[in-house]
């Protein structure tokens, strides 16, 4: 007999309860309100806001975007008004928020992260914090944190000490062993991990003989990086017990399912919003339909179900000789 | 109260008309009465690519009358090629109208509109509005050759005076369109321009020399098109009315701020640009 109850798509990330397992990726959804004319924000889980830093930043020189096969490169450079102005002018508009608002913190020193995290998390309008320790588009230090397990531990511990709100740590794929970084973030007190940030890349103008981005290098996003992201989630899921927000090139419900099955408890949608802002609604509808078809009552039932570890020696033996 | 006051919406429409004005230059007409009602001259839309390519495509709204809107574009890549393959009856989803268009207030009497190539797509609506208001409108229209001066006669029929320029001399001035503007015996009250960035820079220079205010509709690579990603910025004077509301400390000691072409623009006053 097939039951036709509406499946439970809600997800718990630390203390943060989301009605839907869909987050909108930081830097892709602005201040959260730019998409309000096109999307019912009450039908998404959370908006991860654009990263804010201690000091204001003008951002990178142009061009900041290049379209690439099945994706795009960006190098925005954390343009933002700085935490003081942000708290005074921007945060209040989230008082009547239709979905959860996750503040994103970026910085250049451990003290920066703690300073901004403490002030942002203190605001009632902000439901959780994401630590962006993996922005590939700012000079050196930005991504250094997520590329070094010991530095990751330090910065997470410092931010953890400032708030009890859910702390999501966004990891970089531009590392040799993402699981090692993930373990340190968990041990230092992260409530959840965002896996992954963009993949470093570049494009060159062959007529002008120069890089096409003003910043020279950028972060690659879109379908082009999806298999990289699926593997990263799979590896991290084997290394930690805290929930994972899977992200990287998710465009369809099938893409989203790959991430849940790899071990993500929630997903984040970024670049696909640039193609069609109705993508999150479609994915939520598709997840519901998928769970009903398989007679499952909640999204949690599929998390990590394809995660069988890695092929061992015995599994290879059949191919020997 | 909505979070953001905007007339822009997602419009699921149907293509009703397709014209190929020249090799690779397509006009797609579609029924979208709410879009038409909300559109102001110089605004654009994001066309959701039917071929599944990443990112929607920003295109000027060419015509907007009654229930019918249209886009005019040159086939340059995969996304515009997918749009060009659409036929009457096919579905087309667009988001719009977007951006801040031309400022036609102030009772201008004598306007020069400068269009380069498919920049023509963004200047029909302002031309019509100005003509309705009784202004004299001269259209300086440049392209590589006469065949690519698409819909030039349409503008003449509307009431514009046409001053053509072609790279190969096949019609009008043999050379760049801004050269024709620079040679005009009488300076207009206002210049509006849309076209490739080098043309816009040249028009800005002519406008400054002739002391005529100019509004330029810029082209930049977009990702979101709605102000969310900050990818399409252009440096403008911090004192500009279009400067995003950033604190003075954000200016890094300079008087310049990065404004989003998609949201604060795409039309900027030439004297505000610091590019």
């Amino acid at each position: 007999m097939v039951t036709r109850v509406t499946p439970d798509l809600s997800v718990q990330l630390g203390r943060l309860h989301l009605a839907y397992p869909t987050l909108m990726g930081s830097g892709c959804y602005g201040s959260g309100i730019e998409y309000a004319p096109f999307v019912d924000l009450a039908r998404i889980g959370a908006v991860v806001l654009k990263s804010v830093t201690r000091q204001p930043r003008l951002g990178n020189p142009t061009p900041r975007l290049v379209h690439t096969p099945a994706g795009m490169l960006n190098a925005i450079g954390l343009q933002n008004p700085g935490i003081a102005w942000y708290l005074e002018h921007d945060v209040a508009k989230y008082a009547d928020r239709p979905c959860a608002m996750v503040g994103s913190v970026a910085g250049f020193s451990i003290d920066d992260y703690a300073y901004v995290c403490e002030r942002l998390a203190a605001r009632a309008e902000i439901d959780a914090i994401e630590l962006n320790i993996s922005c590939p588009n700012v000079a050196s230090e930005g991504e250094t944190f997520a590329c070094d397990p010991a530095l990751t531990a330090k910065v997470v511990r410092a931010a953890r000490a400032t708030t009890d709100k859910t702390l999501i740590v966004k990891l970089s794929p531009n590392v040799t062993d993402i699981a090692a970084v993930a373990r340190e973030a968990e041990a230092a007190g992260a409530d959840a991990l965002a896996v992954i940030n963009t993949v470093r890349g570049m494009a060159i103008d062959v007529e002008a003989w120069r890089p096409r981005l003003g910043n020279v290098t950028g972060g690659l996003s879109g379908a082009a990086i999806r298999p990289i992201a699926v593997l990263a989630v799979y590896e991290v899921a084997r290394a930690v017990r805290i929930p994972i927000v899977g992200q990287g090139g998710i465009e369809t419900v099938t893409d989203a399912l790959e991430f849940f099955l790899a071990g993500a408890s929630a997903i984040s949608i970024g670049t696909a919003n640039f193609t069609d802002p109705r993508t999150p609604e479609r994915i939520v509808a598709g997840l519901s339909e998928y769970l009903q078809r398989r007679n499952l009552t909640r999204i949690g039932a599929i998390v990590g179900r394809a995660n069988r570890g890695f092929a061992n020696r015995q599994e290879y033996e059949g191919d020997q000789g | 109260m909505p979070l953001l006051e905007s007339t822009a919406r997602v419009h699921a429409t149907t293509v009703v008309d397709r014209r190929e004005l020249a090799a690779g230059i397509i006009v797609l007409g579609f029924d979208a009465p709410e879009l038409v009602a909300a559109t102001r001259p110089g605004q654009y839309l994001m066309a959701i690519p039917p071929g599944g390519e990443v990112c929607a495509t920003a295109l000027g709204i060419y015509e907007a009358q009654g229930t019918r809107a249209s886009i005019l574009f040159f086939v340059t890549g995969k996304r515009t090629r997918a749009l060009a393959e659409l036929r009457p009856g096919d579905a087309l989803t667009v988001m719009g109208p977007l951006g801040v268009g031309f400022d036609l207030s102030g009772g201008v009497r004598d306007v020069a509109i400068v269009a380069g190539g498919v920049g023509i797509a963004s200047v029909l609506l302002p031309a019509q509005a100005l003509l309705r208001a009784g202004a004299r409108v001269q259209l300086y229209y440049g392209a590589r050759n006469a065949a690519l001066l698409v819909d030039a006669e349409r503008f003449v029929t509307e009431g514009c005076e046409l001053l053509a320029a072609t790279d190969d001399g096949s019609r009008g001035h043999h050379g760049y369109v801004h050269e024709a503007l620079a040679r005009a015996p009488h300076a207009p009250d206002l210049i509006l321009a849309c076209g490739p960035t080098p043309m816009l820079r040249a028009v800005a220079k002519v406008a400054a020399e002739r002391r005529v205010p100019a509004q330029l509709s810029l082209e930049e690579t977009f990702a979101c098109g709605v102000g969310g990603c900050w990818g399409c910025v252009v440096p403008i004077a911090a004192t500009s009315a279009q400067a995003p509301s950033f604190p003075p400390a954000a200016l890094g000691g300079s008087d310049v701020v990065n404004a989003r072409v998609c949201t604060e623009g795409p039309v900027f006053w030439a004297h505000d640009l610091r590019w």
Side-chain angles (χ1 to χ4, degrees):
Chain A
M1 199 182 91
V2 178
T3 56
R4 285 295 173 201
V5 293
T6 305
D8 178 10
L9 294 180
S10 71
V11 59
Q12 193 76 27
L13 302 173
R15 296 182 173 193
L16 178 68
H17 182 81
L18 302 179
Y20 298 98
T22 43
L23 291 83
M24 303 301 113
S26 178
C28 303
Y29 229 64
S31 66
I33 64 172
E34 288 84 354
Y35 276 91
F38 313 106
V39 182
D40 180 2
L41 294 175
R43 300 268 300 163
I44 65 174
V47 171
V48 186
L49 300 167
K50 183 163 175 57
S51 293
V52 62
T53 53
R54 189 169 190 163
Q55 298 297 333
R57 288 179 56 84
L58 274 171
N60 284 333
T62 58
R64 291 176 169 185
L65 300 172
V66 179
H67 294 291
T68 60
M72 53 173 276
L73 284 165
N74 87 80
I76 311 298
L78 298 174
Q79 178 169 350
N80 81 91
I83 185 65
W85 195 93
Y86 188 76
L87 292 173
E88 192 178 334
H89 296 92
D90 274 357
V91 177
K93 66 189 169 206
Y94 306 129
D96 297 322
R97 58 199 176 282
C99 63
M101 291 289 170
V102 179
S104 173
V105 176
F108 301 89
S109 69
I110 287 167
D111 189 47
D112 275 359
Y113 280 99
Y115 181 93
V116 176
C117 182
E118 178 173 22
R119 281 155 183 78
L120 195 51
R123 292 293 293 263
E125 300 94 332
I126 298 294
D127 299 296
I129 297 289
E130 180 170 279
L131 286 187
N132 178 5
I133 59 168
S134 48
C135 177
N137 297 326
V138 291
S140 64
E141 297 90 339
E143 196 180 20
T144 306
F145 291 100
C147 293
D148 181 333
L151 270 179
T152 297
K154 277 188 192 169
V155 73
V156 173
R157 212 173 292 126
R160 175 78 285 168
T162 69
T163 180
D164 290 330
K165 286 186 180 172
T166 288
L167 199 58
I168 304 169
V169 178
K170 190 163 186 177
L171 302 186
S172 168
N174 306 310
V175 295
T176 310
D177 185 2
I178 194 170
V181 184
R183 275 188 216 100
E184 290 296 330
E186 180 183 41
D191 296 302
L193 301 173
V195 181
I196 55 176
N197 207 321
T198 52
V199 177
R200 293 184 77 216
M202 87 185 293
I204 288 175
D205 183 330
V206 299
E207 298 301 330
W209 291 13
R210 64 179 179 222
R212 292 181 63 182
L213 286 168
N215 187 55
V216 180
T217 67
L220 181 64
S221 64
I225 69 166
R226 192 187 311 132
I228 296 171
V230 171
L231 171 59
V233 168
Y234 192 96
E235 287 185 304
V236 170
R238 298 198 66 75
V240 301
R241 303 179 68 90
I242 52 178
I244 296 166
V245 183
Q247 52 206 280
I250 297 175
E251 296 177 335
T252 67
V253 66
T254 306
D255 305 340
L257 287 165
E258 279 198 70
F259 282 81
F260 284 109
L261 291 167
S265 297
I267 56 155
S268 181
I269 300 162
T271 302
N273 287 309
F274 304 157
T275 305
D276 190 336
R278 298 168 299 179
T279 302
E281 286 174 42
R282 280 203 195 112
I283 288 178
V284 160
L287 290 174
S288 235
E289 197 182 302
Y290 178 87
L291 293 174
Q292 282 183 348
R293 178 160 61 78
R294 302 185 71 107
N295 213 14
L296 298 166
T297 56
R298 55 188 192 89
I299 189 73
I302 66 168
V303 172
R305 291 300 291 273
N307 202 320
R308 299 149 33 92
F310 295 93
N312 57 32
R313 275 182 67 102
Q314 287 71 33
E315 286 178 70
Y316 280 122
E317 277 172 2
D319 292 335
Q320 284 177 358
Chain B
M1 200 183 88
L3 278 169
L4 183 66
E5 297 289 345
S6 169
T7 57
R9 296 288 180 272
V10 175
H11 302 278
T13 77
T14 303
V15 174
V16 291
D17 177 39
R18 179 188 185 278
R19 285 168 284 157
E20 186 152 6
L21 301 179
I25 300 182
I26 311 289
V27 173
L28 283 183
F30 49 92
D31 276 324
E34 288 168 16
L35 176 77
V36 170
T39 296
R40 301 288 167 263
Q43 287 189 298
Y44 68 95
L45 55 75
M46 297 295 285
I48 294 179
E53 290 297 320
V54 173
C55 290
T57 307
L59 295 165
I61 299 172
Y62 182 45
E63 297 158 299
Q65 194 162 25
T67 61
R68 181 78 54 87
S70 73
I71 47 179
L72 184 160
F73 57 95
F74 189 59
V75 178
T76 54
K78 287 180 186 171
R79 292 176 297 164
T80 43
R81 199 173 308 130
L83 287 170
E85 283 167 10
L86 295 178
R87 294 293 182 275
D90 288 343
L92 170 66
T93 302
V94 300
M95 297 160 60
L98 293 163
V100 175
F102 293 104
D103 178 0
L104 304 180
S105 63
V108 286
R109 304 298 309 161
D110 189 350
V111 181
I113 293 180
V114 188
V118 289
I120 197 72
S122 291
V123 300
L124 179 63
L125 295 180
Q128 288 172 332
L130 288 163
L131 290 162
R132 271 198 305 274
R136 174 195 188 200
V137 179
Q138 290 183 300
L139 175 67
Y140 292 83
Y141 187 6
R144 290 204 303 276
N145 58 54
L148 295 177
L149 288 169
V150 297
D151 260 4
E153 314 318 323
R154 161 79 183 272
F155 282 78
V156 175
T157 308
E158 296 276 347
C160 297
E161 297 166 39
L162 176 67
L163 295 103
T166 50
D167 294 357
D168 67 356
S170 53
R171 184 169 179 185
H173 171 71
H174 186 173
Y176 292 125
V177 68
H178 71 273
E179 295 163 353
L181 177 70
R183 287 180 196 171
H186 301 290
D189 302 333
L190 175 68
I191 295 169
L192 310 179
C194 184
T197 302
M199 183 204 89
L200 294 178
R201 288 177 185 274
V203 168
K205 194 157 171 279
V206 172
E209 284 163 5
R210 306 204 64 167
R211 299 173 185 279
V212 178
Q215 299 174 34
L216 312 180
S217 178
L218 304 194
E219 185 171 38
E220 251 302 336
T221 303
F222 283 5
C224 72
V226 301
C229 74
W230 292 85
C232 63
V233 299
V234 62
I236 68 169
T239 52
S240 165
Q242 286 168 273
S245 51
F246 265 33
L251 308 179
S254 80
D255 57 354
V256 171
V257 65
N258 286 319
R260 295 165 293 188
V261 172
C262 70
T263 301
E264 278 80 47
V267 178
F268 292 93
W269 289 98
H271 59 256
D272 281 341
L273 292 165
R274 298 290 181 272
W275 51 349

